Amino acid sequence: MDSTSKTSMNHEERTAAEPREHGMHSVILDTISQVTRNVRLLNLRRPSGGAQIEFLPGQWLDVHVPHIPQAGGFTITSTPQDLKRKSHLELAVKCSPTNPPAAWLWQEPSKILRSTLFIRVGGSFVWPPPQIDAASIERLVFVAGGVGINPLISILSHLHQNKNECPPRLDLLYSARIGDSGKLSSILFHERLRSILERGFGTSRNYKLFVTDTVKPNEVSDKNQSGAKSALKADTDDVGEGKVERRRFEEKDLIDAIGPVEKRGGVVAYVCGPPPMTDWAVSVLKGAEGMESNRVLCEKWW
């Protein structure tokens, strides 16, 4: 779940019905890196001798920071294998000054590095999909909007590390705003996604990136807008079987991603993004001929 709330409900209230651990783990805030204008990656280190932390790809953490009673909710963007190998968890945290836990984690790094945080694993938007036999999946479809890519990068990274779990076909549709530079590298996890998908799963895969402006056209000068478009054009190239589109994805893109009607009994789709996007995408996918509603999984980023 995202830490940014547009309602009066905090993370713990919004996720009260979600499964979560009973106990807490202590971790050390080890490193901080700013990967986009408004997203930081945090590495949380499990202390030597600390209790084992177990999670499934796609899950989030309740994160308790010093002096703030409410927990923040942040998705794990690393994998269980990463934790075993490096004793680290990675979180992506969006800048949100009005949300106390996120604001605390966006302080000057020198003020908060080496701090002890307390975490608890939760969430049901996971791989493998609950109550579905993973061996029955012939095609996996991931649909992400903005920071909704966070749980999906964990799942994709896990499948890359465990290729025997990956279904024969994999499709990723990712819609994101491009940064002021007009460069694809300004999009959260784009380079990591390219690296994962271009090394090959031994499967047929398709990565389509849909980019929109970070600001409205009338908020920038014609010259600056033209420069951003030129930068994007120079930076755009094919990714796997897919390509970069300068638009939002549409119903046709979702329908194409789930493939022929007669084979949709073997499709599972994961959708994550802002509520309006997820509501629309889930409605399209569940309403598609041949799709079973329990095979469309969703997590909203408020």
Side-chain angles (χ1 to χ4, degrees):
M1 299 294 291
D2 187 13
S3 65
T4 306
S5 175
K6 293 184 179 179
T7 74
S8 59
M9 297 177 68
N10 63 39
H11 160 72
E12 291 173 295
E13 291 170 330
R14 289 196 308 272
T15 61
E18 286 288 309
R20 55 183 10 106
E21 288 183 307
H22 293 295
M24 294 278 187
H25 302 274
S26 64
V27 292
I28 306 299
L29 179 52
D30 210 24
T31 65
I32 299 173
S33 58
Q34 191 161 335
V35 291
T36 70
R37 181 174 55 85
N38 61 356
V39 176
R40 281 182 169 183
L41 293 184
L42 311 181
N43 272 309
L44 308 181
R45 175 170 50 84
R46 182 171 61 86
S48 178
Q52 292 293 326
I53 303 171
E54 296 185 357
F55 69 96
L56 292 173
Q59 288 192 293
W60 39 256
L61 296 178
D62 292 336
V63 179
H64 291 268
V65 302
H67 313 302
I68 295 175
Q70 73 183 65
F74 307 101
T75 297
I76 304 168
T77 53
S78 53
T79 69
Q81 190 168 322
D82 294 336
L83 178 59
K84 290 178 181 178
R85 188 174 67 248
K86 303 176 184 176
S87 294
H88 275 79
L89 292 162
E90 181 188 75
L91 303 181
V93 179
K94 187 176 180 180
C95 182
S96 180
T98 61
N99 184 277
W104 191 94
L105 291 167
W106 265 78
Q107 294 182 86
E108 179 66 32
S110 61
K111 294 182 179 180
I112 59 175
L113 282 172
R114 308 295 179 263
S115 295
T116 297
L117 311 180
F118 291 89
I119 64 170
R120 177 167 52 195
V121 176
S124 58
F125 187 74
V126 299
W127 175 267
Q131 301 179 334
I132 295 176
D133 180 8
S136 72
I137 303 173
E138 295 295 324
R139 188 173 188 138
L140 254 184
V141 177
F142 296 105
V143 180
V147 289
I149 193 63
N150 288 353
L152 302 183
I153 192 69
S154 176
I155 297 173
L156 280 162
S157 298
H158 171 81
L159 292 174
H160 183 248
Q161 293 169 345
N162 300 272
K163 296 182 179 65
N164 60 308
E165 296 184 30
C166 191
R169 174 80 188 195
L170 188 154
D171 289 76
L172 168 62
L173 278 63
Y174 179 19
S175 178
R177 289 182 177 181
I178 200 159
D180 297 333
S181 68
K183 295 286 188 179
L184 296 183
S185 56
S186 67
I187 293 175
L188 182 60
F189 293 128
H190 172 63
E191 295 302 325
R192 190 181 299 188
L193 289 167
R194 289 194 63 180
S195 178
I196 289 171
L197 293 167
E198 289 180 352
R199 288 174 183 169
F201 283 91
T203 70
S204 179
R205 80 270 189 223
N206 183 20
Y207 171 28
K208 288 188 176 180
L209 177 64
F210 299 82
V211 299
T212 56
D213 293 322
T214 189
V215 293
K216 296 178 182 179
N218 62 359
E219 294 177 346
V220 296
S221 68
D222 292 341
K223 182 178 180 180
N224 288 342
Q225 187 179 354
S226 176
K229 288 182 177 179
S230 297
L232 176 59
K233 183 177 181 181
D235 196 32
T236 297
D237 55 13
D238 288 347
V239 183
E241 298 173 11
K243 60 182 180 179
V244 178
E245 299 274 3
R246 194 177 178 85
R247 61 180 176 87
R248 298 182 186 278
F249 48 69
E250 301 168 354
E251 182 172 338
K252 181 180 183 301
D253 300 304
L254 298 179
I255 297 301
D256 287 347
I258 59 177
V261 172
E262 63 274 13
K263 295 185 178 181
R264 290 176 186 169
V267 175
V268 167
Y270 287 76
V271 181
C272 190
M277 187 222 82
T278 55
D279 289 345
W280 167 77
V282 167
S283 177
V284 170
L285 292 169
K286 287 187 175 182
E289 183 180 356
M291 279 296 293
E292 301 172 18
S293 61
N294 69 314
R295 299 176 80 89
V296 180
L297 288 74
C298 170
E299 184 159 87
K300 296 180 183 181
W301 284 66
W302 299 93

